[in-house]
Amino acid sequence: MEMDGGSASAPAGIEADSVSVRQGRSKIIYQFTQQNLPACKPVLSPAWVISIFFVVGVIFIPVGIVSLHASQTVVEIVYRYDAECVPESFRSNKLAYIKDSSIPKNCTKSLKIPKDMKAPIYIYYQLDNYYQNHRRYVKSRNDQQLLHGLKYHDTGSCAPEDVNHGLPIVPCGLIAWSLFNDTYSFYRGIDELKVNRKNIAWESDREHKFGKQVYPFNFQNGSLIGGASLDPNIPLSDQEDLIVWMRTSALPTFRKLYGRIEEDLDADDIISIKLLNNYNTYSFSGSKKLVLSTSSWLGGHNNFLGLAYISVGASFILIAFVFMLLHVKNPRPYGDTTNLSWNWKSMSG
Amino acid sequence: MNCDVVICCRVSPKQKASITRMVKEHSGKTILAIGDGANDVGMIQEADIGVGISGMEGMQAVMASDFSLPQFRFLERLLIVHGHWCYRRISKMILYFVYKNVTLGLTLFYYNIFTGFSGQDLYDDWYMTMFNVLLTSLPVLSVGVLEQDVSSDVCLKFPALYQQGQRNICFGWKRIIGWILNGILTSLTIFLLNIYALSPSAITKHGYTADMEHIGTITYTSIIWTVNCQVALMISHFTFISHILIWGSIICWYIFLYTYDILPPTYPKIVFHVFTEQIGPEPAYWIVTLIVVIVSLLPYFIHIVIQRSFFPMDDHIIQEMKYSGTDVSDGPMWLREQERSKQMTQVGYSARVDAKIRHLQEQMHRKRKSFYSS
């Protein structure tokens, strides 16, 4: 790198005297006003270009391999159940089935575990085509009320789910009203697998955003039931399903944590799932899936990151080689003068 | 209007102004007027750029002008050094500003494709407010104030570099559209890579999935990094101020994020503790940021590599000459190029005559040599 102290083309004698008496900060100010600050002027030469591409490629490929490996060690089972759990007689009219509360919504399915799964095994429910990120939906909540409960009155943002029969609703808003209410229980043979439903929400939410003295009040009392109802004796900070649901997701296809299984599952185990198919996703062609997944240091099963790193690293190395070939074939001598624009003109005209 | 030089004497101020106006209208070019007395004020104000000389005749010209100089000879420095630098600085600054706002804004538009076009923002309000105030505005100021492609003595020695401004090389339509396309491509890369890498599966070891706040914060971090590193790629003259402003802006973002999310939860609404608890400790956050930044900067980097290697511009070649020291080691070449660059800018009749005479002399010299040697 060239360090350019800068030499101004000004009367040399006077300049030298005045610079020599300046020190420290006034020297820097002088250099700044004269635009002579010491500077680094890197020049992009072919050697630098090739080495940058090569080094980045060589760093990226191992990172990609490690990420891909982490993703491949995760065992994930995705099972779509919303179509299969509708009884035969209602297959052509699923909406009538789901809205009729007298029809039992039990459903039993079985899954085969493809590979060994080490505890903890995370259980998620995945919803598709569900726009939790719609602006009106995201707005429809009130954080002050979640923290302070009935003491807080200004719940206009939750309309129309803020007041019912003249009484305020706690927690108010559409997000809480549409709480997911399918439930799952898992059996291996005749033994029930214990599902840990604690600590599924972020700790900061449980400790600081949902009040420990706030209890559900007047919730899901209206004519239109949107989802689950809440036990009015449990404070909001312990209602972890609600807390998880209230974190609106970014995309229309999302997963939310339901619980975790603290035991290992072996390959070829048959797990039977007893689920209650309560939640209505049929009216908007959404779908519901149950996901069982282990995790790695990088998270869940997502090959995208590893593959992206590997492909970017490989293409960088390819670009480095291509550039090296081009440079070797048509070298442009460093700082040669034939490319200066005034020399083209004299050569051509 | 067909003359190269016109001399007028005994003209009144009004006549000076009307001459200037006439030249402006007929030629359509940018006019500079320089004068030192009160009778030049009309001319100075009529021209596009007025330069006043302070000194013997008082301060009227100085007060009416855009630039003022103490001596007439500094006009050369004003145009060739400062004019050249300012042209490049302002072009780069404006194009970069457009680029970075296109990058931020388009990610919001792409996100709305996924929200049913409802108008939901991906980022918290305060993030977006801080974008143009604190997080990305200062580095581009360092470009606009401090950027130099070549140093001032080189500018004076190679006046042909000034023609880059006259030919509008740095701000032509190709460049404008190029930067906007760069912004479109960058925003697309950032958005898609973040969306596909972070959902729908979990992003942490403990099985938590990424919500709107997490994806928003991680995407925004990628944007801040990309946009600031783009400034670093654009600058060819790195002072310590540039470094402080560029890397300081990125550090500011992290400081802001940290401070914002430890405020009590009623202020930052959803993003409470998003950095300290939720995404900061996760390797996925940092790994995604790294690849997104590198891939987004790749198109511009390849562009400048190809340009510098195969289609270099004058200032690139001069930078290379200075960098490799051939200006010192190959003195005759340096002086020769200076002379050649000066020849192009002379438009006088006598200079052409001199050139023609020189050309004929060379021809005669060659003929004489071949006559004697045969």
Side-chain angles (χ1 to χ4, degrees):
Chain A
M1 300 284 180
E2 178 197 301
M3 288 300 288
D4 185 19
S7 50
S9 63
I14 306 166
E15 203 68 21
D17 285 338
S18 46
V19 166
S20 62
V21 300
R22 285 177 158 83
Q23 289 145 30
R25 200 210 253 168
S26 65
K27 180 170 175 207
I28 292 186
I29 293 180
Y30 177 77
Q31 285 176 327
F32 178 70
T33 51
Q34 294 296 318
Q35 304 202 34
N36 262 346
L37 283 168
C40 219
K41 291 175 186 264
V43 169
L44 207 57
S45 64
W48 270 104
V49 169
I50 294 176
S51 39
I52 288 176
F53 275 120
F54 200 70
V55 163
V56 172
V58 157
I59 292 178
F60 270 25
I61 290 189
V63 172
I65 293 179
V66 164
S67 309
L68 193 60
H69 174 74
S71 166
Q72 301 280 38
T73 54
V74 169
V75 185
E76 186 188 70
I77 306 167
V78 179
Y79 178 64
R80 183 177 174 179
Y81 64 86
D82 60 330
E84 295 180 6
C85 273
V86 179
E88 288 291 341
S89 44
F90 286 99
R91 286 283 163 97
S92 50
N93 193 359
K94 300 194 179 110
L95 216 49
Y97 159 75
I98 200 77
K99 289 194 173 173
D100 190 347
S101 46
S102 61
I103 306 174
K105 303 287 194 310
N106 302 356
C107 182
T108 308
K109 296 285 170 199
S110 60
L111 281 180
K112 186 162 161 197
I113 308 289
K115 284 195 275 191
D116 283 346
M117 291 173 87
K118 290 235 159 300
I121 300 169
Y122 298 93
I123 306 164
Y124 304 91
Y125 51 91
Q126 178 174 328
L127 289 164
D128 295 336
N129 203 29
Y130 194 108
Y131 284 80
Q132 248 200 350
N133 53 15
H134 194 284
R135 186 177 59 86
R136 297 296 302 276
Y137 186 92
V138 171
K139 218 172 64 136
S140 182
R141 62 186 290 154
N142 195 303
D143 296 307
Q144 297 276 24
Q145 195 204 51
L146 292 172
L147 201 51
H148 300 298
L150 285 167
K151 289 186 266 196
Y152 191 78
H153 297 297
D154 189 8
T155 56
S157 58
C158 290
E161 292 298 325
D162 52 345
V163 167
N164 196 6
H165 304 313
L167 293 167
I169 301 176
V170 175
C172 72
L174 267 181
I175 309 183
W177 177 81
S178 58
L179 179 58
F180 190 73
N181 57 1
D182 284 5
T183 56
Y184 314 100
S185 47
F186 299 85
Y187 296 86
R188 177 167 46 183
I190 45 167
D191 304 317
E192 180 168 359
L193 292 169
K194 191 164 166 326
V195 175
N196 184 355
R197 311 231 31 233
K198 291 270 155 232
N199 288 350
I200 53 176
W202 291 104
E203 190 187 329
S204 54
D205 284 352
R206 278 181 277 129
E207 300 291 319
H208 300 285
K209 289 185 69 169
F210 286 76
K212 297 194 168 74
Q213 309 295 328
V214 179
Y215 294 87
F217 178 75
N218 198 16
F219 188 68
Q220 292 289 10
N221 266 348
S223 47
L224 211 52
I225 306 282
S229 43
L230 295 172
D231 185 344
N233 300 318
I234 302 179
L236 288 189
S237 60
D238 291 333
Q239 306 257 20
E240 301 213 22
D241 283 330
L242 176 70
I243 299 176
V244 168
W245 183 255
M246 299 264 323
R247 290 207 75 104
T248 49
S249 65
L251 295 171
T253 301
F254 59 89
R255 290 182 191 171
K256 290 199 181 295
L257 190 55
Y258 178 82
R260 42 177 97 78
I261 298 176
E262 305 281 7
E263 303 170 32
D264 291 349
L265 294 177
D266 305 314
D268 298 332
D269 272 355
I270 306 282
I271 306 290
S272 71
I273 308 165
K274 291 204 169 76
L275 55 91
L276 281 175
N277 185 16
N278 290 322
Y279 200 67
N280 178 10
T281 54
Y282 302 102
S283 49
F284 52 86
S285 353
S287 69
K288 296 187 281 190
K289 296 181 180 150
L290 176 65
V291 178
L292 290 165
S293 170
T294 53
S295 75
S296 67
W297 59 271
L298 202 52
H301 181 80
N302 193 347
N303 289 338
F304 181 79
L305 200 56
L307 290 174
Y309 262 93
I310 293 177
S311 48
V312 169
S315 42
F316 267 54
I317 293 187
L318 185 67
I319 294 178
F321 275 123
V322 164
F323 193 72
M324 199 154 65
L325 279 173
L326 279 175
H327 181 66
V328 160
K329 222 171 64 105
N330 308 338
R332 182 175 68 80
Y334 208 53
D336 79 325
T337 55
T338 49
N339 279 323
L340 290 165
S341 59
W342 46 86
N343 287 336
W344 300 339
K345 296 236 171 106
S346 70
M347 273 161 55
S348 59
Chain B
M1 282 307 298
N2 292 328
C3 309
D4 297 313
V5 175
V6 173
I7 300 181
C8 314
C9 70
R10 289 261 172 252
V11 281
S12 67
K14 196 153 184 319
Q15 286 170 326
K16 282 189 186 174
S18 56
I19 292 173
T20 317
R21 189 186 199 83
M22 185 185 76
V23 175
K24 224 165 85 159
E25 281 170 0
H26 279 259
S27 68
K29 297 198 172 69
T30 312
I31 304 294
L32 183 150
I34 180 165
D36 63 347
N39 57 350
D40 297 320
V41 168
M43 171 179 76
I44 286 175
Q45 289 185 329
E46 187 66 43
D48 296 309
I49 302 172
V51 180
I53 312 244
S54 65
M56 297 289 292
E57 304 230 359
M59 302 297 277
Q60 265 88 359
V62 166
M63 287 195 291
S65 61
D66 301 312
F67 298 96
S68 75
L69 305 169
Q71 295 179 21
F72 193 90
R73 65 189 171 99
F74 293 148
L75 181 66
E76 181 194 21
R77 207 179 152 83
L78 176 71
L79 289 181
I80 294 186
V81 175
H82 296 287
H84 174 66
W85 282 349
C86 281
Y87 171 68
R88 295 185 65 93
R89 286 171 183 166
I90 292 180
S91 321
K92 280 191 182 179
M93 198 173 89
I94 293 178
L95 292 175
Y96 173 79
F97 236 98
V98 170
Y99 156 82
K100 77 172 161 88
N101 283 298
V102 164
T103 304
L104 179 72
L106 282 184
T107 52
L108 290 168
F109 278 101
Y110 302 144
Y111 182 59
N112 271 288
I113 299 175
F114 291 87
T115 67
F117 297 100
S118 62
Q120 173 65 31
D121 297 323
L122 181 55
Y123 317 117
D124 188 82
D125 295 333
W126 274 102
Y127 295 176
M128 296 197 283
T129 311
M130 284 289 141
F131 186 74
N132 273 322
V133 170
L134 183 64
L135 298 172
T136 57
S137 57
L138 297 174
V140 71
L141 280 185
S142 84
V143 170
V145 171
L146 297 170
E147 172 70 358
Q148 299 173 10
D149 54 339
V150 288
S151 59
S152 55
D153 50 332
V154 174
C155 278
L156 286 169
K157 288 180 188 145
F158 288 89
L161 288 177
Y162 183 68
Q163 290 203 328
Q164 288 183 343
Q166 292 172 326
R167 291 199 303 244
N168 202 17
I169 284 185
C170 294
F171 204 66
W173 275 111
K174 261 183 15 183
R175 287 243 176 164
I176 296 175
I177 293 186
W179 275 102
I180 293 179
L181 277 179
N182 190 13
I184 294 175
L185 211 58
T186 305
S187 61
L188 203 57
T189 315
I190 292 177
F191 182 73
L192 289 177
L193 280 178
N194 274 293
I195 293 287
Y196 284 113
L198 296 171
S199 71
S201 50
I203 58 167
T204 80
K205 197 166 61 171
H206 300 290
Y208 295 115
T209 50
D211 310 309
M212 198 188 318
E213 306 75 45
H214 306 132
I215 292 189
T217 308
I218 299 177
T219 309
Y220 197 77
T221 307
S222 313
I223 294 182
I224 299 286
W225 268 101
T226 305
V227 149
N228 281 316
C229 290
Q230 176 75 61
V231 174
L233 281 182
M234 263 171 54
I235 293 185
S236 56
H237 182 85
F238 280 94
T239 58
F240 71 91
I241 297 181
S242 318
H243 283 298
I244 291 177
L245 291 179
I246 296 176
W247 314 120
S249 294
I250 297 178
I251 294 174
C252 253
W253 160 242
Y254 285 113
I255 295 176
F256 169 73
L257 191 55
Y258 178 75
T259 323
Y260 189 46
D261 78 16
I262 61 174
L263 289 176
T266 45
Y267 293 111
K269 297 189 196 156
I270 316 275
V271 294
F272 180 67
H273 275 183
V274 72
F275 182 60
T276 48
E277 180 200 15
Q278 293 161 14
I279 55 173
E282 294 308 319
Y285 174 49
W286 305 95
I287 292 181
V288 168
T289 306
L290 176 64
I291 190 173
V292 169
V293 170
I294 302 275
V295 174
S296 319
L297 293 174
L298 186 65
Y300 181 74
F301 189 66
I302 290 188
H303 165 78
I304 56 175
V305 159
I306 292 180
Q307 190 189 46
R308 275 196 182 243
S309 306
F310 305 115
F311 311 102
M313 305 211 312
D314 295 335
D315 48 304
H316 298 150
I317 300 178
I318 295 179
Q319 281 172 348
E320 282 172 14
M321 284 197 235
K322 286 217 75 125
Y323 181 68
S324 59
T326 51
D327 60 326
V328 171
S329 59
D330 193 359
M333 181 272 299
W334 189 241
L335 288 170
R336 186 180 63 235
E337 292 308 324
Q338 288 175 36
E339 289 306 312
R340 283 209 191 134
S341 80
K342 282 189 188 137
Q343 271 178 6
M344 262 187 68
T345 57
Q346 283 169 346
V347 281
Y349 172 78
S350 58
R352 282 206 200 97
V353 167
D354 282 347
K356 192 74 181 167
I357 292 175
R358 203 177 13 240
H359 180 66
L360 291 170
Q361 277 176 344
E362 277 172 11
Q363 277 186 334
M364 265 179 51
H365 183 73
R366 255 180 262 134
K367 280 203 186 109
R368 235 181 268 146
K369 257 178 78 174
S370 58
F371 180 77
Y372 284 133
S373 55
S374 64

